């Protein structure tokens, strides 16, 4: 996207947040009958672009850099899961995370969407459902690697609980950004005087493309 002042191009804006998640077949999204998941090759090409984008525009803000580092690791993990069709690192679904459906059903994972029990049937006592035989069977199935998916919510949790992945995230976090924050492109509504776009936003005849 190119920003213009009085009809003249002043700065070209590229994405400043490389966020994506794999489209999957999920019960809760009613996509089980739809072929929406990209091929491993297509997704690998996409995440290569995304990872390059993150690497070329690192933030100097600690929290933002942490998010970028996690995302950088997640994209490669998701691509590998699609390519290898297996759990690349241990999945902690049903152990470190769960999903509570509107009807009261507890799922260990929203991709498999297998009810572990319903809190309405146990006086809304989550602990009873969480410790049930059905829940233990689900956890055993995941531990035995009988499933694999690149769902972002579970994957980020898995990354934080996987020592090797966490080391890579920390190394990426500590790496030096490649761009100068004084010339970073930020939103015109922020009115940042240190950015070209911020200066342009205050210039006569400035227009925001729709």
């Amino acid at each position: 996207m190119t920003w213009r002042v009085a009809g003249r191009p002043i700065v070209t804006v590229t994405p400043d947040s490389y966020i994506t998640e794999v489209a999957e077949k999920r019960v809760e999204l009613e996509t089980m009958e739809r072929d929406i998941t990209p091929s491993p090759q297509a997704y690998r090409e996409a995440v290569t672009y995304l990872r390059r984008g993150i690497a070329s525009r690192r933030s100097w803000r600690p929290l933002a850099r942490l998010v970028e580092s996690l995302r950088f690791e997640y994209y490669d993990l998701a691509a590998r899961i699609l390519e290898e069709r297996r759990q690349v690192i241990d999945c902690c679904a049903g152990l470190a995370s769960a999903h509570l459906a509107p009807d009261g059903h507890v799922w260990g994972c929203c991709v498999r969407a297998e009810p572990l029990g319903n809190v309405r049937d146990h006086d809304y006592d989550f602990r009873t459902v969480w410790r049930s035989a059905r829940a233990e069977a689900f956890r055993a199935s995941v531990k035995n690697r009988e499933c694999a998916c690149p769902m972002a919510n579970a994957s980020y949790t898995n990354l934080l609980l996987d020592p090797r992945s966490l080391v890579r995230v920390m190394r990426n976090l500590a790496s030096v950004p490649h761009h100068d924050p004084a010339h970073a492109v930020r939103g015109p509504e922020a009115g940042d005087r240190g950015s070209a776009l911020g200066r342009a936003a205050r210039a006569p005849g400035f227009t925001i493309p729709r």
Side-chain angles (χ1 to χ4, degrees):
M1 180 184 296
T2 300
W3 301 76
R4 299 174 181 274
V5 173
R8 294 178 300 174
I10 185 170
V11 63
T12 297
V13 180
T14 56
D16 60 359
S17 183
Y18 293 83
I19 304 174
T20 186
E21 183 175 340
V22 182
E24 296 179 273
K25 295 181 178 181
R26 287 165 57 175
V27 172
E28 62 178 340
L29 302 180
E30 299 182 351
T31 56
M32 295 302 294
E33 305 302 323
R34 300 182 183 181
D35 186 18
I36 61 174
T37 304
S39 67
Q41 180 180 0
Y43 189 68
R44 173 59 75 179
E45 292 176 358
V47 298
T48 297
Y49 167 79
L50 292 168
R51 284 163 58 90
R52 287 174 179 170
I54 292 174
S56 67
R57 299 176 62 83
R58 296 306 304 272
S59 172
W60 286 86
R61 298 180 178 89
L63 183 57
R65 283 178 62 78
L66 176 59
V67 172
E68 291 170 350
S69 298
L70 283 167
R71 194 175 296 147
F72 197 84
E73 187 70 17
Y74 162 70
Y75 289 154
D76 185 61
L77 174 64
R80 287 188 60 192
I81 291 173
L82 290 177
E83 291 165 347
E84 301 174 27
R85 303 177 64 86
R86 67 178 183 88
Q87 288 185 25
V88 176
I89 61 177
D90 291 339
C91 180
C92 298
L95 183 65
S97 61
H99 297 260
L100 181 61
D103 60 2
H105 279 105
V106 177
W107 299 340
C109 168
C110 69
V111 173
R112 289 178 54 162
E114 299 173 9
L116 309 182
N118 193 305
V119 293
R120 294 180 179 180
D121 297 332
H122 300 279
D123 195 28
Y124 294 92
D125 183 4
F126 180 83
R127 182 180 301 179
T128 299
V129 176
W130 193 242
R131 295 180 175 178
S132 66
R134 191 180 298 178
E136 291 298 332
F138 174 84
R139 284 189 277 269
S141 173
V142 175
K143 183 177 181 179
N144 292 332
R145 300 176 179 263
E146 296 175 3
C147 58
C149 76
M151 188 180 73
N153 291 346
S155 293
Y156 283 118
T157 300
N158 297 338
L159 286 173
L160 292 173
L161 295 175
D162 182 68
R164 291 183 179 180
S165 297
L166 199 55
V167 167
R168 288 193 294 270
V169 170
M170 292 299 101
R171 286 177 178 172
N172 188 278
L173 177 64
S175 62
V176 179
H178 297 297
H179 73 286
D180 183 349
H183 297 91
V185 177
R186 303 181 178 89
E189 62 278 356
D192 190 328
R193 297 181 181 277
S195 69
L197 188 54
R199 293 191 298 272
R202 293 182 296 278
F206 178 82
T207 58
I208 299 176
R210 302 293 182 183

